[in-house]
Structure formats: structure tokens, C-alpha cells
Amino acid sequence: MESKEPKKTPAPETPSSPEPVSTPAPTTKAQLVESPTSSPVMASSSGSETVNQVLTILSRLTDYVGEFFVTYQKPLVNVGLIIAAFVAVYLTLSVLDAINHIPLLGFVLAPLFELVGLCYVAWFVWRYLLKAESRQELYKDISSLTSQVTGGGKS
């Protein structure tokens, strides 16, 4: 009796060695390659063309920097102000530390500076913060100074 199972056909044999990958033929002409700035740049192995590419990029460097500053003007200004604030605080603390390390002056000037600071705070509170009119005057002075510094308008 014959079985009703289908007969299996043998798979074709594959060659044991892989076929060689074809490499592109070298060209003698320079090919156009897109640069990151979307301007075509010549790509070649010769030294003078490489120098020309570098000179092209360097000649447009001011354009690249200008575009960068125009695009990121506000964040760069903010970072610059933060760095300037840190530098100002560091310099202030360095000067005060230098004064405190001077013999005799550190012991004499530190209490004097504290006294001057306390007197100024007392005068400022008396002058600007006790009465409503003087608080409004202080607010006008601060807003005027702010508009002059930021260029918000004439006052």
C-alpha cells in the first residue's frame, strides 16, 4: 500500500562560496556632494580642491555665525547675563575676602561696613517704604530705570 503523504522534493544546492561584491569603478571626474548647508561642494581626492572646499566653508563662516546669533539671540543674552551675574558675585566676594584678610583693616572695616549697611537699610525703609506716596515714587523710579536699561521706551 502506498502512503498518501506528498513526496518531498530535494532543495536545489547553493554554492558554498559567496559571490564577490562588485565595487564601484573609480571615476576621474569630481562628483557633486551635498554639504550640510545645502550648497553643492566638489568632492575629490586632489589637494587643491580640498583647499577650495575649506576656503569656501571658511568664507561663509561669518554667515554661519551670524545666522546662529540671529536664531538664538534671546537664549544667548540670558546665558550671558547669568554668567555676568556669577562673575560679579564672585568678584564681590573676592574683594570682601581680600579686605578681611588684611591685618587690622579686616577687624576695623568689617564692623564699619556692617554699620554703614544697616544705616542705609534703615534710611531706605524710612524714605521709600513707610508711606504709600513714597512707594509709588519708588515704583516709578524702578520702572523708569528698567525701561532705560532694556530700551523699552523714553521716559
Side-chain angles (χ1 to χ4, degrees):
M1 291 192 117
E2 287 186 41
S3 67
K4 294 186 177 181
E5 293 180 18
K7 292 184 179 179
K8 295 182 180 176
T9 59
E13 293 183 21
T14 59
S16 61
S17 63
E19 293 182 22
V21 178
S22 63
T23 58
T27 60
T28 57
K29 294 182 180 179
Q31 299 173 350
L32 286 178
V33 176
E34 285 293 320
S35 70
T37 60
S38 299
S39 63
V41 179
M42 300 298 287
S44 178
S45 62
S46 71
S48 65
E49 291 182 8
T50 304
V51 169
N52 288 337
Q53 289 176 357
V54 170
L55 290 176
T56 302
I57 291 172
L58 289 177
S59 68
R60 295 226 33 231
L61 186 63
T62 56
D63 296 335
Y64 299 145
V65 172
E67 290 172 10
F68 178 80
F69 279 114
V70 167
T71 304
Y72 299 107
Q73 181 180 8
K74 287 184 180 182
L76 288 173
V77 168
N78 289 338
V79 168
L81 289 174
I82 290 170
I83 291 172
F86 280 126
V87 168
V89 168
Y90 180 77
L91 288 176
T92 302
L93 292 175
S94 298
V95 168
L96 290 176
D97 188 45
I99 289 173
N100 282 335
H101 281 91
I102 297 174
L104 187 60
L105 288 181
F107 297 113
V108 174
L109 291 181
L112 181 64
F113 286 154
E114 289 178 13
L115 180 63
V116 168
L118 288 173
C119 290
Y120 182 78
V121 167
W123 173 83
F124 185 84
V125 168
W126 179 263
R127 171 68 176 90
Y128 288 109
L129 301 180
L130 289 180
K131 297 180 184 175
E133 317 72 62
S134 61
R135 285 193 299 268
Q136 289 175 353
E137 179 186 344
L138 177 64
Y139 176 74
K140 288 178 184 177
D141 289 343
I142 290 174
S143 61
S144 170
L145 181 64
T146 303
S147 67
Q148 287 177 359
V149 170
T150 59
K154 293 181 180 179
S155 54

